[in-house]
């Protein structure tokens, strides 16, 4: 991966239980050669010790707006703001989101962020309980911050410190650093002597051509004008569960993250969405019609029952190719006289193939190919044998652990072309896939 030349970064830390991860986040940034200047809010001190942060960052931690040690004339924030290449706030609290959305400079961190020149990317990783994250005031502030061009690293879904389960967890430290690197490599913010407005134009052009920058206003404009607006799409996601007996089953590791990213992108392009989903660990969008299934047979029926009025199908589900022919009700008892239990596996119906082979002229069908070897040729075979319009190939290997990961490396294959993408967030993959679908569908 290309390296950034200047790596002075501010790490803003706010009051959140996940602030205890900050020293390790500093360590991860330092491992990637960043010079980290921690700036923490007063309330954050309840969750992480300044001594730990200064020790790992090797820089004095700033927390007081009027710290005489730091700068005698009180203008340290201006000086520092012009010295850095990036600003990361992780974790960012609901309070700081609100202050930044409204330009309130009542502490060292918010004053510094407001003082940053336009070319310095601001990357925010909010973390809080899911009820706070879902609050309209918080969501509104996120929208405002995105409109400033700030990058938001979405919190993850999972168990929260309150014991509740929902969206609000701070992503793992190495994921945050990976995201920061990705944003900075795409960003025009590396300091130059160019005038501000030249930098601004470059910034806008960069956003226009950059599918990865999901936060950009221009991307939103593109979505508003999507030719898919008002069309109907069915997405399958998650894994199927094939019963062995009433307590055991065959399944796989699909989390539904890839399908969710596609679903969210579909909704933001104004598409009328149906999701047929198996087992998953993500929160599904309430804007979609949601159909829950368990087995591949159930998924097949749900898709067939909803196929006629769809314009687009995207099959991300990891459907079991085989089911147990001799599955039983109740629980299979352990046989003390035999070391073996034979399960007869028979093939499930191929949902993608049935849809592809029976599609109408105006229906567009996208399948996925999950391959561990000969990816390209297997994906091309799937395109033909399943009569799909597009296959999204994701190879699974040590560089691309696709399941339950936030990142994926995909190639898009149609009968006319093949396009390889770098490893990027599943969100960015979803944007790329929809951009290519828009080129392929009949208007
Ligand atoms: O959910 P995540 O954790 O984010 O992981 C994402 C993913 C790995 C599940 C996703 O990116 C992916 O690759 N999904 C397809 C997995 C798969 O089953 O691949 P396949 O090559 O075995 O199947 C090819 C295509 O046929 C797929 O579109 C699949 O949905 C479809 N299929 C397969 C079997 C079957 N009986 N019916 C089908 O429709």
């Amino acid at each position: 991966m290309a390296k950034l030349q200047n790596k002075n970064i501010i790490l803003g830390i706010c009051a959140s239980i996940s602030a205890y991860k900050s020293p390790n986040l500093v360590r991860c940034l330092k491992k990637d050669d960043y010079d980290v200047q921690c700036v923490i809010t007063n309330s954050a001190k309840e969750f992480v010790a300044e001594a730990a942060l200064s020790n790992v960052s090797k820089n004095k931690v700033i927390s007081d707006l009027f710290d005489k040690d730091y700068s005698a004339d009180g203008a340290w924030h201006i000086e520092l703001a012009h010295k850095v290449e990036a600003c990361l706030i992780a974790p960012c609290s609901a309070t700081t989101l609100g202050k930044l959305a409204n330009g309130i400079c009542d502490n060292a961190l918010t004053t510094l962020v407001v003082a940053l020149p336009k070319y310095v990317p601001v990357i925010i990783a909010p973390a809080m309980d899911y009820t706070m994250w879902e609050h309209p005031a918080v969501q509104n502030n996120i929208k405002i911050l995105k409109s400033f061009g700030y990058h938001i690293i979405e919190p993850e879904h999972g168990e929260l410190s309150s014991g509740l389960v929902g969206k609000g967890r701070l992503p793992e430290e190495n994921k945050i650093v990976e995201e920061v690197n990705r944003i900075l490599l795409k960003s025009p913010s590396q300091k130059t002597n160019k005038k501000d407005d030249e930098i601004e134009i470059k910034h806008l052009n960069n956003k226009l051509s950059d599918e990865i920058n999901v936060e950009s206003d221009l991307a939103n404009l593109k979505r508003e004008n999507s030719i898919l607006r008002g069309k109907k799409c069915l997405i399958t996601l998650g894994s199927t569960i094939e019963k062995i007996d009433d307590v055991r089953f065959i399944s796989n590791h699909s989390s539904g993250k890839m399908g969710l990213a596609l679903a969210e992108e579909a909704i933001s392009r104004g598409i009328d969405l149906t999701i047929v989903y198996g087992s998953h660990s993500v929160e599904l969008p309430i804007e979609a019609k949601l159909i829950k299934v368990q087995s591949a047979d159930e998924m097949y029926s749900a898709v067939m029952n909803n196929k006629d009025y769809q314009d687009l199908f995207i099959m991300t589900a990891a459907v079991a190719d085989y089911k147990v022919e001799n599955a039983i009700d109740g629980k299979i008892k352990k046989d003390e006289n035999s070391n073996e239990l034979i399960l007869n596996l028979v093939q499930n119906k191929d949902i993608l193939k049935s849809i592809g082979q029976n599609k109408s002229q105006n229906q567009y069908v996208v399948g996925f190919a999950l391959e561990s070897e000969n990816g390209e040729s297997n994906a091309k075979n799937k395109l033909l044998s399943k009569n799909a319009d597009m296959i999204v190939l994701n190879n699974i290997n040590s560089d691309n652990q696709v399941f339950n990961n936030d990142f994926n490396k995909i190639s898009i294959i149609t009968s006319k072309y093949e396009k390889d993408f770098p490893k990027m967030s599943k969100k960015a993959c979803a944007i790329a896939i929809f951009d290519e679908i828009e080129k392929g569908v009949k208007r």
Side-chain angles (χ1 to χ4, degrees):
M1 191 187 241
K3 285 269 174 199
L4 292 162
Q5 284 173 351
N6 301 305
K7 299 185 89 173
N8 298 319
I9 192 166
I10 293 163
L11 174 62
I13 302 163
C14 306
S16 155
I17 189 82
S18 56
Y20 80 88
K21 295 179 175 175
S22 307
N24 195 41
L25 179 55
V26 174
R27 199 173 283 134
C28 293
L29 286 162
K30 300 251 335 157
K31 244 193 225 159
D32 252 21
D33 298 332
Y34 285 95
D35 185 9
V36 185
Q37 174 60 66
C38 294
V39 182
I40 80 171
T41 64
N42 272 332
S43 321
K45 292 181 196 167
E46 299 289 327
F47 300 92
V48 59
E50 276 181 80
L53 293 169
S54 58
N55 202 298
V56 281
S57 69
K58 308 286 176 238
N59 283 318
K60 179 178 156 45
V61 174
I62 301 175
S63 63
D64 179 3
L65 188 50
F66 302 103
D67 188 342
K68 294 271 183 312
D69 283 354
Y70 201 73
S71 144
D73 64 5
W76 62 267
H77 57 295
I78 304 295
E79 201 182 312
L80 180 58
H82 286 264
K83 246 193 224 167
V84 296
E85 276 70 39
C87 173
L88 167 67
I89 309 176
C92 187
S93 63
T95 308
T96 300
L97 289 175
K99 286 184 186 178
L100 289 177
N102 291 285
I104 294 172
C105 304
D106 67 345
N107 64 29
L109 177 60
T110 57
T111 305
L112 179 60
V113 177
V114 172
L116 290 168
K118 272 189 275 185
Y119 55 76
V120 175
V122 177
I123 304 158
I124 297 180
M128 61 199 71
D129 221 279
Y130 82 91
T131 44
M132 296 174 75
W133 173 249
E134 284 173 359
H135 192 281
V138 172
Q139 288 306 312
N140 208 26
N141 289 332
I142 292 284
K143 262 191 212 145
I144 294 172
L145 295 171
K146 284 181 178 176
S147 76
F148 297 167
Y150 289 6
H151 303 265
I152 306 292
I153 301 178
E154 295 264 328
E156 289 185 349
H157 185 272
E159 190 172 351
L160 303 164
S161 59
S162 59
L164 299 171
V165 174
K167 192 168 175 182
R169 282 172 66 85
L170 188 71
E172 290 306 315
E173 297 87 296
N174 54 5
K175 270 193 203 163
I176 296 178
V177 176
E178 213 176 312
E179 193 62 9
V180 168
N181 284 337
R182 190 186 62 70
I183 290 166
L184 297 193
L185 283 169
K186 285 275 158 194
S187 160
S189 70
Q190 295 296 290
K191 262 189 233 165
T192 69
N193 292 325
K194 289 185 182 159
K195 288 182 205 118
D196 257 2
D197 50 355
E198 274 176 10
I199 292 168
E200 181 71 6
I201 289 166
K202 202 172 148 201
H203 193 47
L204 286 172
N205 283 339
N206 184 290
K207 281 179 172 179
L208 186 62
S209 62
D210 180 6
E211 303 109 307
I212 296 171
N213 191 349
V214 291
E215 272 80 47
S216 88
D217 292 346
L218 288 168
N220 285 337
L221 196 66
K222 202 164 78 175
R223 287 174 178 146
E224 272 161 34
N225 294 321
S226 168
I227 58 157
L228 297 172
R229 188 156 282 277
K231 300 252 186 215
K232 294 186 166 34
C233 169
L234 185 150
I235 293 180
T236 65
L237 66 79
S239 63
T240 62
I241 287 188
E242 307 303 325
K243 171 177 163 170
I244 297 173
D245 63 16
D246 280 344
V247 291
R248 304 175 182 99
F249 57 84
I250 297 174
S251 191
N252 59 66
H253 298 293
S254 173
S255 61
K257 284 185 180 178
M258 190 63 244
L260 174 66
L262 285 156
E264 286 176 340
E265 188 55 27
I267 290 164
S268 71
R269 292 187 194 220
I271 294 169
D272 182 355
L273 185 63
T274 299
I275 302 176
V276 177
Y277 65 98
S279 174
H280 64 290
S281 60
V282 290
E283 206 178 336
L284 298 178
I286 47 170
E287 293 91 336
K289 176 180 173 191
L290 298 174
I291 304 174
K292 182 167 172 39
V293 298
Q294 214 172 29
S295 62
D297 279 342
E298 285 177 22
M299 187 170 273
Y300 177 86
S301 303
V303 172
M304 292 307 144
N305 290 340
N306 287 277
K307 76 173 176 20
D308 290 343
Y309 51 90
Q310 304 296 342
D311 301 295
L312 172 63
F313 297 84
I314 308 179
M315 309 301 212
T316 63
V319 186
D321 287 324
Y322 294 91
K323 66 179 170 188
V324 182
E325 189 184 34
N326 50 340
I328 65 153
D329 294 334
K331 185 182 170 209
I332 299 173
K333 292 276 169 290
K334 187 171 157 189
D335 182 351
E336 298 298 343
N337 300 317
S338 168
N339 286 333
E340 288 184 340
L341 170 70
I342 311 268
L343 297 174
N344 294 331
L345 299 182
V346 288
Q347 263 191 20
N348 274 320
K349 287 178 215 149
D350 192 318
I351 310 166
L352 173 60
K353 195 170 182 174
S354 304
I355 289 294
Q357 290 184 342
N358 297 299
K359 68 184 179 196
S360 69
Q361 258 201 338
N362 292 322
Q363 289 182 318
Y364 194 89
V365 177
V366 180
F368 269 64
L370 180 65
E371 306 293 342
S372 57
E373 53 194 21
N374 305 323
E376 198 184 324
S377 59
N378 288 340
K380 283 182 177 164
N381 282 341
K382 282 182 180 159
L383 184 77
L384 286 178
S385 65
K386 300 182 189 234
N387 199 30
D389 297 289
M390 175 189 291
I391 290 286
V392 178
L393 164 65
N394 38 195
N395 287 307
I396 185 157
N397 51 42
S398 53
D399 285 344
N400 196 36
Q401 293 296 337
V402 193
F403 283 122
N404 197 21
N405 202 325
D406 293 322
F407 294 84
N408 197 359
K409 181 165 177 7
I410 58 165
S411 300
I412 290 180
I413 299 175
T414 71
S415 58
K416 299 200 179 79
Y417 64 89
E418 261 182 71
K419 219 172 186 177
D420 297 328
F421 292 85
K423 190 166 185 173
M424 50 197 193
S425 68
K426 284 187 176 167
K427 236 179 198 183
C429 292
I431 294 173
I433 292 165
F434 268 101
D435 283 353
E436 296 306 318
I437 292 171
E438 286 195 357
K439 289 178 200 160
V441 293
K442 294 201 176 73
R443 281 159 200 262

